[in-house]
Amino acid sequence: MKLFSGNNVALSLIILVWSSFFSFSNGAYPYLKDIKEDVKNGNENIIQEINQLLKSDTIPLLSRAYLHKYKGSIYRLSDSFALAQQELIKALRIAEKMNDTVLRARINNNIANIFVNLGDYANALKHYEKSLKDFQLLKRDKLVSKTLMNIGIVYEHQEKYDRALQSYNIALNTDSISEQSVAKINLNIGTCYINLKEYTAAEKALKKAIGLFKNLGLEGQYNKAAYNLAYSYELQGEFLRALTSYKTCFVTSLSENQSQLTIDCLEGIMLIYNHLKESDSVSKYYYLLHDYKEDLYKSKLDKGIYEVETAYEVEKKDKEISTQRQLKKQAQKTAEAERKAKRKTTWILSLIILIIVILLGSISYSLVQQNKIKKLQIDQHEKEISDLIQRQEQVVYQAKLESENKERKRLANELHDRVGGLLAAVNLHVENLQEGNGKEKLGTVQELVKDSISEIRSISHNLGDSIHTGGLKKSLENFAEGISSSGRVNMETFFSLNDNEPSQEVSNQIFTIVKEMVSNSLKHAKAKLITIQLLASEKNLQLMYEDDGIGFDSTTVKKGLGLKSMQDRVAHMHGKFNLDSQNGFGTTIIIEIPNEKDRIINS
């Protein structure tokens, strides 16, 4: 899912254009003022005039530097980054030669912006730091804060979020910083904290940014902050708060014509309803998303068709005018000339018809191709939606698993430290009272207390560290021995691991799954024999679980939390879960988990 930061390309573009328009020295060329306005308006034709001026030997050196700088600005606005760099480097050399600190700092900032566009963040940082040093020397606080914000954005691109936060915080403490810059920096700080999974800090920064953008009337930036806040709620599992924020952002992004943000909000709403298991709402917003993308695509297509038709009408009109002129000239000639004119006219008309046929054929072919592209895009979007849902489910499942493990460890410690300690103290007092009256009864009580302490230790062990220090094999053997000792059911284990002991994470997952299976057999299956086989091969790890219980119809039974939990754990390890059970014939479950070199466990 996409996070929006405050300034990225937009901020760099503003700094680029804004830094170009400041007062000139008395030696500045008189045309620079007009050229500055053309650059500000994005007039690419001004490059020809700049080239003519640069050919003159009478241009002052400072004016020449500005001309190269303006030329670089025009090239950058048209995405010609290599040409823009060439011109800006020429301007930088002149500024360094003249020892003009202000001009040098601004040009370094412009060059850094281009490196950001090219994805060369190392060189971008190099030029931003040079610019920052000069602005600090000149005590230009506003430019210092903007440059620090740009440096923070580069660190975000490099996923160095701690360093990005450091730059943003220094920028916030700069004197004379504007309210708008404070809002944008808080938006960027919020995105950093989301990536660091520090959601409380992210929420605080994003809410501050939202309040400032509201006061400034910047709805577009406000929508980006609101979207990031909704995404933060989603990652924390606060789905209702996330749903409210996504819907609010969706409505306002429509009014602001923020197409990409509108699409992202619709995807977020659809994912939230998927988490809430509201399939009707998922379908509703899926079709809404599909229709919105289709309308957006259609508007672009209609614009293209209109331009083709306009060009065709102009060409047709030109041909008709040309034909009329030819006919007028031929009417003044002899009969022989008229026959030639008729033949020529016939040829021209045939040519026009041929051109019309070609144009219509081209338009028809273009429409067919565009429809094919549209269908491919829809298929791709549906695949992206499916992938997005799967990735989001993995994130939520991992958070749920971590929460369960923390709670299990907390309960284990509570049982062991508090209840276990109290029972140990009771046992001690009972031992002291055995010398007095009621020795026989106290002995019975003491035995019960000892059994309670042993039981609490066993529960604490099962809740805490599920895996025995000897590994998965030893843990399963001990567990099977404990089940069999109850006399209620016999549990057998068979292993063929070839010294390939699974990792700690995989072992914990398998042991938890086995306990869930055994629990189901004891509660529902009325089994007398449980068999577990754990086999390791070059490709995968295979767990086979069988019981001789009453079984059930696996095609009609409703999946409970236990079965769903096992399937989720296997899916988390990118494994396969196969269940085979029939009424009266017991239950068989086979789980295949690929070796760790062939899979990635999301963490």
Side-chain angles (χ1 to χ4, degrees):
M1 190 167 284
K2 183 176 179 183
L3 286 176
F4 292 92
S5 59
N7 292 350
N8 295 354
V9 178
L11 174 63
S12 303
L13 183 59
I14 292 171
I15 291 177
L16 172 68
V17 178
W18 172 78
S19 62
S20 300
F21 311 134
F22 54 93
S23 59
F24 305 99
S25 65
N26 292 331
Y29 200 80
Y31 288 155
L32 285 178
K33 184 176 180 180
D34 294 333
I35 293 174
K36 176 179 65 176
E37 289 299 320
D38 285 326
V39 174
K40 181 178 180 181
N41 295 326
N43 182 10
E44 297 181 8
N45 296 326
I46 196 65
I47 288 181
Q48 296 178 357
E49 183 177 347
I50 293 175
N51 289 335
Q52 290 296 325
L53 292 171
L54 287 172
K55 292 179 181 178
S56 174
D57 296 330
T58 61
I59 299 284
L61 196 59
L62 180 60
S63 298
R64 188 175 294 274
Y66 284 129
L67 288 172
H68 284 299
K69 187 174 185 296
Y70 292 154
K71 192 175 178 182
S73 299
I74 290 294
Y75 279 136
R76 182 169 182 265
L77 290 173
S78 61
D79 295 336
S80 301
F81 300 122
L83 295 174
Q85 276 186 322
Q86 292 177 10
E87 297 301 323
L88 289 172
I89 289 173
K90 291 177 182 178
L92 180 61
R93 288 173 180 169
I94 297 174
E96 290 175 342
K97 182 177 180 181
M98 298 181 66
N99 198 25
D100 191 330
T101 306
V102 176
L103 182 58
R104 181 178 63 198
R106 295 177 187 273
I107 295 173
N108 272 312
N109 213 333
N110 297 156
I111 294 173
N113 292 338
I114 293 176
F115 277 121
V116 170
N117 291 129
L118 295 173
D120 187 350
Y121 303 121
N123 277 318
L125 281 175
K126 176 181 176 182
H127 285 277
Y128 276 139
E129 287 168 357
K130 288 182 179 180
S131 177
L132 178 63
K133 183 177 179 181
D134 284 337
F135 285 141
Q136 288 173 334
L137 181 66
L138 295 167
K139 297 182 179 180
R140 301 288 183 92
D141 291 336
K142 288 185 178 180
L143 296 176
V144 166
S145 65
K146 291 181 179 180
T147 305
L148 283 167
M149 183 158 51
N150 279 351
I151 291 173
I153 292 170
V154 172
Y155 281 135
E156 278 195 72
H157 283 301
Q158 295 179 320
E159 298 183 355
K160 298 178 180 178
Y161 302 114
D162 289 328
R163 300 192 69 175
L165 287 171
Q166 184 180 5
S167 294
Y168 291 144
N169 287 323
I170 295 173
L172 286 175
N173 293 324
T174 305
D175 295 333
S176 304
I177 187 171
S178 67
E179 189 176 9
Q180 184 175 348
S181 294
V182 172
K184 292 177 179 178
I185 291 173
N186 273 285
L187 171 55
N188 292 347
I189 288 174
T191 63
C192 285
Y193 278 128
I194 289 175
N195 285 302
L196 291 172
K197 298 183 179 179
E198 296 181 21
Y199 301 119
T200 301
E203 182 177 352
K204 180 180 177 182
L206 290 172
K207 285 184 175 179
K208 185 173 182 180
I210 288 171
L212 292 171
F213 286 134
K214 274 188 176 180
N215 293 337
L216 294 168
L218 298 174
E219 289 294 329
Q221 295 293 334
Y222 162 83
N223 289 339
K224 293 178 181 179
Y227 173 86
N228 287 357
L229 183 60
Y231 183 52
S232 175
Y233 288 146
E234 180 185 355
L235 292 177
Q236 297 176 74
E238 296 182 20
F239 297 128
L240 294 180
R241 296 180 71 184
L243 185 62
T244 302
S245 297
Y246 275 138
K247 286 185 175 180
T248 302
C249 183
F250 166 65
V251 173
T252 52
S253 64
L254 276 177
S255 63
E256 290 295 316
N257 293 321
Q258 293 176 296
S259 301
Q260 185 57 51
L261 185 57
T262 300
I263 291 171
D264 291 332
C265 288
L266 285 172
E267 290 178 346
I269 294 170
M270 186 177 64
L271 287 172
I272 293 299
Y273 277 125
N274 183 68
H275 289 309
L276 297 174
K277 308 298 182 184
E278 296 184 19
S279 57
D280 291 340
S281 296
V282 172
S283 298
K284 172 185 174 182
Y285 279 92
Y286 168 77
Y287 287 115
L288 183 62
L289 175 64
H290 176 271
D291 291 341
Y292 179 80
K293 287 183 176 180
E294 187 175 41
D295 291 341
L296 190 64
Y297 175 78
K298 184 178 179 181
S299 65
K300 294 179 180 179
L301 182 63
D302 290 343
K303 182 179 178 182
I305 293 174
Y306 172 76
E307 291 174 351
V308 171
E309 290 177 343
T310 301
Y312 164 71
E313 291 297 332
V314 170
E315 183 178 0
K316 182 179 179 181
K317 187 66 176 177
D318 291 340
K319 291 292 183 181
E320 290 176 352
I321 293 173
S322 176
T323 301
Q324 290 174 1
R325 289 176 178 173
Q326 292 292 336
L327 292 174
K328 184 177 180 180
K329 291 179 180 179
Q330 293 298 327
Q332 298 173 356
K333 295 181 179 181
T334 62
E336 183 65 26
E338 288 179 357
R339 286 193 296 270
K340 291 180 180 179
K342 288 179 181 179
R343 289 196 298 269
K344 188 173 183 179
T345 302
T346 301
W347 180 84
I348 292 173
L349 289 174
S350 299
L351 180 61
I352 292 174
I353 292 171
L354 179 62
I355 291 173
I356 293 173
V357 171
I358 292 173
L359 284 174
L360 291 176
S362 299
I363 294 173
S364 299
Y365 177 77
S366 176
L367 290 174
V368 170
Q369 291 299 112
Q370 287 170 348
N371 286 332
K372 289 182 179 178
I373 293 172
K374 179 180 177 182
K375 184 178 182 303
L376 290 174
Q377 288 176 336
I378 291 172
D379 293 341
Q380 181 65 24
H381 291 162
E382 291 177 351
K383 184 178 182 300
E384 290 174 356
I385 290 170
S386 178
D387 293 343
L388 188 62
I389 290 173
Q390 290 179 2
R391 290 196 299 272
Q392 198 63 27
E393 286 177 346
Q394 287 286 343
V395 172
V396 173
Y397 174 77
Q398 184 65 23
K400 176 184 175 182
L401 188 61
E402 292 176 358
S403 175
E404 288 177 354
N405 289 337
K406 290 180 181 179
E407 185 62 19
R408 288 167 62 89
K409 291 182 180 179
R410 186 188 71 79
L411 289 173
N413 291 334
E414 289 290 320
L415 283 172
H416 184 273
D417 296 342
R418 298 178 62 181
V419 182
L422 289 173
L423 289 174
V426 172
N427 182 55
L428 182 62
H429 285 295
V430 170
E431 289 177 350
N432 292 336
L433 291 173
Q434 280 184 331
E435 299 177 358
N437 295 327
K439 182 176 180 179
E440 181 177 350
K441 293 182 178 180
L442 287 175
T444 301
V445 173
Q446 185 180 11
E447 288 300 321
L448 292 173
V449 171
K450 287 181 178 179
D451 290 343
S452 300
I453 293 173
S454 176
E455 186 65 22
I456 287 173
R457 286 177 177 171
S458 176
I459 293 172
S460 175
H461 174 74
N462 288 335
L463 283 172
D465 298 324
S466 298
I467 295 300
H468 190 277
T469 54
L472 176 60
K473 178 180 178 182
K474 186 65 176 176
S475 298
L476 289 175
E477 288 176 343
N478 290 345
F479 180 62
E481 183 179 349
I483 294 296
S484 298
S485 64
S486 67
R488 179 181 173 184
V489 62
N490 186 32
M491 183 171 175
E492 298 178 349
T493 57
F494 300 93
F495 302 94
S496 179
L497 297 177
N498 299 323
D499 298 327
N500 294 326
E501 183 73 21
S503 67
Q504 182 68 26
E505 180 176 358
V506 174
S507 297
N508 284 336
Q509 296 282 23
I510 292 176
F511 190 58
T512 302
I513 291 170
V514 170
K515 290 195 293 183
E516 185 67 36
M517 291 175 178
V518 173
S519 175
N520 288 342
S521 294
L522 295 177
K523 289 180 181 179
H524 310 295
K526 301 179 181 180
K528 298 299 181 182
L529 175 63
I530 296 174
T531 304
I532 293 177
Q533 297 184 49
L534 191 62
L535 311 174
S537 66
E538 294 182 358
K539 294 184 178 181
N540 58 38
L541 182 70
Q542 185 181 84
L543 173 68
M544 180 181 292
Y545 177 91
E546 295 180 288
D547 69 35
D548 61 351
I550 61 175
F552 58 91
D553 188 350
S554 60
T555 62
T556 60
V557 69
K558 184 177 181 182
K559 294 182 181 179
L561 292 178
L563 183 59
K564 182 65 168 60
S565 174
M566 286 188 284
Q567 290 176 329
D568 287 345
R569 290 179 187 274
V570 173
H572 176 63
M573 295 183 288
H574 298 273
K576 297 179 180 179
F577 184 95
N578 297 306
L579 170 66
D580 182 19
S581 183
Q582 298 180 20
N583 290 322
F585 292 95
T587 300
T588 300
I589 298 176
I590 299 176
I591 295 173
E592 294 182 358
I593 300 169
N595 288 340
E596 295 188 46
K597 65 180 180 179
D598 299 324
R599 64 185 173 84
I600 298 175
I601 295 179
N602 295 322
S603 59

